[in-house]
């Protein structure tokens, strides 16, 4: 079920205050607890004051250092897991303007060095030509919220400048369906495929495509993006979930590696995409 922002903020505050209260109840200073946890005293302070969100692993280390009873520790760990998940609906983004979402993505990309996109259904915005972006950002069903499509498209196009930064690495892993799903006219689809073939030639970009005839021991359930090794965004019909628990990040990295191991890459991808572009125009 959706995560309510107000409830989540309250739970994060409760977590911080509870951890501080436990430390005080056990008679430990922040410095002594930091030594026991192998953390800095500054980090302990930031966690207890709510200025830093602790990971589930951070909370486990603190609870172990304090020898907190299992029943109390289990509840706090559940609270930490909930605190490390964010949810935002596309309807909420539309209310403030979808271009703001593009701005958030731009900031996230600018703070990351390695980005891995798993795309079982559709290419990501960083790979779009303008016409394809217009199609994908336009409302499709009556329940879709209204939005300023033109402004959102321009913001998406502006984001693509990040690909020019060769200090950053981009991995785009698609299924064959994502490439060939008829999301737009044949002319736009052909232009989209040809553009991706060109982007694949960039030195900091790797595109992989999993052919439909390949047997894979996994099911491509959701679009997700892993930013370095610190967080994952998962895309749903209704909105987006952000995961920060290191174990969730690790799980998605392993899934990415699994699907990537079955993908065609390099020049083979460029040939595949150019052939697809020609097929759309036949």
């Amino acid at each position: 079920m959706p995560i309510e922002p107000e409830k989540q903020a309250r739970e994060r505050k409760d977590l911080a205050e509870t951890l501080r209260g436990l430390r005080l109840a056990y008679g430990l200073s922040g410095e002594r607890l930091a030594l026991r946890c192998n953390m800095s005293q500054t980090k302990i302070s930031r966690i207890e004051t709510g200025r830093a969100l602790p990971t589930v692993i951070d909370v486990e280390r603190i609870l172990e250092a304090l020898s907190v009873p299992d029943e109390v520790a289990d509840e706090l760990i559940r609270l930490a897991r909930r605190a490390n998940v964010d949810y935002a609906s596309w309807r909420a983004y539309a209310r403030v303007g979808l271009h703001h979402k593009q701005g958030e993505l731009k900031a996230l990309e600018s703070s990351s060095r390695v980005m891995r996109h798993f795309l079982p259904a559709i290419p990501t915005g960083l790979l779009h030509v303008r016409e394809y972006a217009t199609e994908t950002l336009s409302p499709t069903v009556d329940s879709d919220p209204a939005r300023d499509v033109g402004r959102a498209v321009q913001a998406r196009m502006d984001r693509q400048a990040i690909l020019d930064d060769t200090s950053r690495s981009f991995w785009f892993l698609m299924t064959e369906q994502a490439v060939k799903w008829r999301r737009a006219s044949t002319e736009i689809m052909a232009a989209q495929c040809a553009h991706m073939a060109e982007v694949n030639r960039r030195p900091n970009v790797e595109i992989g495509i999993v052919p439909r005839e390949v047997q894979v021991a996994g099911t491509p359930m959701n679009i997700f993006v892993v930013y370095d090794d610190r967080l994952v965004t998962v895309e749903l019909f209704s909105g987006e979930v952000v995961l920060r628990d290191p174990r969730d990040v690790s799980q998605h990295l392993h899934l990415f590696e699994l699907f990537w191991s079955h993908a065609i890459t390099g020049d083979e991808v460029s040939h595949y995409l150019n052939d697809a572009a020609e097929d759309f125009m036949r």
Side-chain angles (χ1 to χ4, degrees), residues 8-24 33 43-54 59 62 66 76 79-80 83:
Q8 186 177 61
R10 186 168 61 250
E11 288 183 337
R12 288 178 175 178
K13 182 180 179 182
D14 290 345
L15 178 62
E17 291 178 349
T18 301
L19 291 173
R20 181 176 185 274
L22 284 171
R23 174 180 63 76
L24 294 174
L33 178 59
K43 182 173 183 177
I44 293 293
S45 175
R46 288 175 59 81
I47 287 172
E48 291 184 352
T49 56
R51 289 177 294 160
L53 177 64
V59 173
I62 290 171
L66 293 172
L76 285 174
L79 185 59

Side-chain angles (χ1 to χ4, degrees), residues 183-195:
R183 187 62 178 79
S185 69
T186 54
E187 292 81 4
I188 293 175
M189 293 300 301
Q192 177 62 34
C193 287
H195 174 68

Side-chain angles (χ1 to χ4, degrees), residues 169-213:
S169 299
F170 301 87
W171 299 69
F172 302 107
L173 177 54
M174 291 177 275
T175 61
E176 184 172 352
Q177 174 175 300
V179 175
K180 295 187 174 181
W181 185 266
R182 286 283 301 276
R183 187 62 178 79
S185 69
T186 54
E187 292 81 4
I188 293 175
M189 293 300 301
Q192 177 62 34
C193 287
H195 174 68
M196 291 191 293
E198 186 64 30
V199 172
N200 188 48
R201 296 188 176 92
R202 289 174 176 261
N204 59 333
V205 171
E206 295 281 350
I207 294 180
I209 298 174
V210 181
R212 62 186 177 185
E213 67 269 15

Side-chain angles (χ1 to χ4, degrees), residues 30 62 74 89 98 100 132 137 192 233:
I62 290 171
D74 289 345
S89 70
L98 282 182
H100 287 299
Y132 191 84
L137 287 169
Q192 177 62 34
T233 61

Side-chain angles (χ1 to χ4, degrees), residues 13-282:
K13 182 180 179 182
D14 290 345
L15 178 62
E17 291 178 349
T18 301
L19 291 173
R20 181 176 185 274
L22 284 171
R23 174 180 63 76
L24 294 174
Y26 280 83
L28 289 180
S29 66
E31 292 86 350
R32 286 184 63 193
L33 178 59
L35 284 173
R36 289 191 181 187
C37 297
N38 195 27
M39 295 182 187
S40 69
Q41 190 276 329
T42 300
K43 182 173 183 177
I44 293 293
S45 175
R46 288 175 59 81
I47 287 172
E48 291 184 352
T49 56
R51 289 177 294 160
L53 177 64
T55 68
V56 176
I57 293 174
D58 289 336
V59 173
E60 288 176 340
R61 287 164 65 185
I62 290 171
L63 297 176
E64 183 178 356
L66 293 172
S67 299
V68 173
D70 289 345
E71 61 272 17
V72 177
D74 289 345
E75 178 58 34
L76 285 174
I77 289 169
R78 283 195 292 270
L79 185 59
R81 287 192 181 281
R82 292 196 300 270
N84 274 276
V85 176
D86 286 329
Y87 172 82
S89 70
W90 300 130
R91 191 174 303 281
Y93 281 122
R95 280 199 297 268
V96 298
L98 282 182
H99 59 282
H100 287 299
K101 173 58 180 174
Q102 298 300 313
E104 286 184 15
L105 289 171
K106 184 177 181 180
L108 188 52
E109 289 154 358
S110 297
S111 66
S112 304
R113 287 295 170 187
V114 181
M115 285 146 274
R116 297 173 177 86
H117 294 246
F118 180 62
L119 308 160
I122 189 172
T124 185
L126 288 176
L127 297 175
H128 289 182
V129 295
R130 182 177 293 273
E131 296 79 8
Y132 191 84
T134 300
E135 290 289 335
T136 60
L137 287 169
S138 297
T140 56
V141 294
D142 292 342
S143 56
D144 279 343
R147 74 282 301 267
D148 186 337
V149 174
R151 192 170 184 182
V153 168
Q154 186 56 52
R156 176 169 287 181
M157 294 296 100
D158 293 342
R159 267 179 59 213
Q160 295 179 2
I162 194 75
L163 295 174
D164 295 328
D165 185 348
T166 56
S167 70
R168 306 181 196 281
S169 299
F170 301 87
W171 299 69
F172 302 107
L173 177 54
M174 291 177 275
T175 61
E176 184 172 352
Q177 174 175 300
V179 175
K180 295 187 174 181
W181 185 266
R182 286 283 301 276
R183 187 62 178 79
S185 69
T186 54
E187 292 81 4
I188 293 175
M189 293 300 301
Q192 177 62 34
C193 287
H195 174 68
M196 291 191 293
E198 186 64 30
V199 172
N200 188 48
R201 296 188 176 92
R202 289 174 176 261
N204 59 333
V205 171
E206 295 281 350
I207 294 180
I209 298 174
V210 181
R212 62 186 177 185
E213 67 269 15
V214 173
Q215 181 175 341
V216 183
T219 304
M221 296 181 65
N222 297 98
I223 293 172
F224 66 79
V225 185
V226 185
Y227 294 90
D228 295 325
D229 58 355
R230 56 197 175 93
L231 65 85
V232 179
T233 61
V234 181
E235 202 166 307
L236 311 173
F237 273 117
S238 60
E240 182 181 69
V241 175
V242 179
L243 307 171
R244 296 183 179 84
D245 186 330
R247 284 168 289 199
D248 290 330
V249 176
S250 179
Q251 170 73 0
H252 284 81
L253 285 171
H254 290 153
L255 286 169
F256 190 92
E257 291 169 2
L258 167 67
F259 288 105
W260 187 269
S261 70
H262 296 280
I264 60 172
T265 59
D267 291 340
E268 192 175 359
V269 163
S270 294
H271 294 316
Y272 176 95
L273 290 168
N274 282 324
D275 288 345
E278 293 179 5
D279 288 343
F280 276 119
M281 294 307 295
R282 290 195 179 111

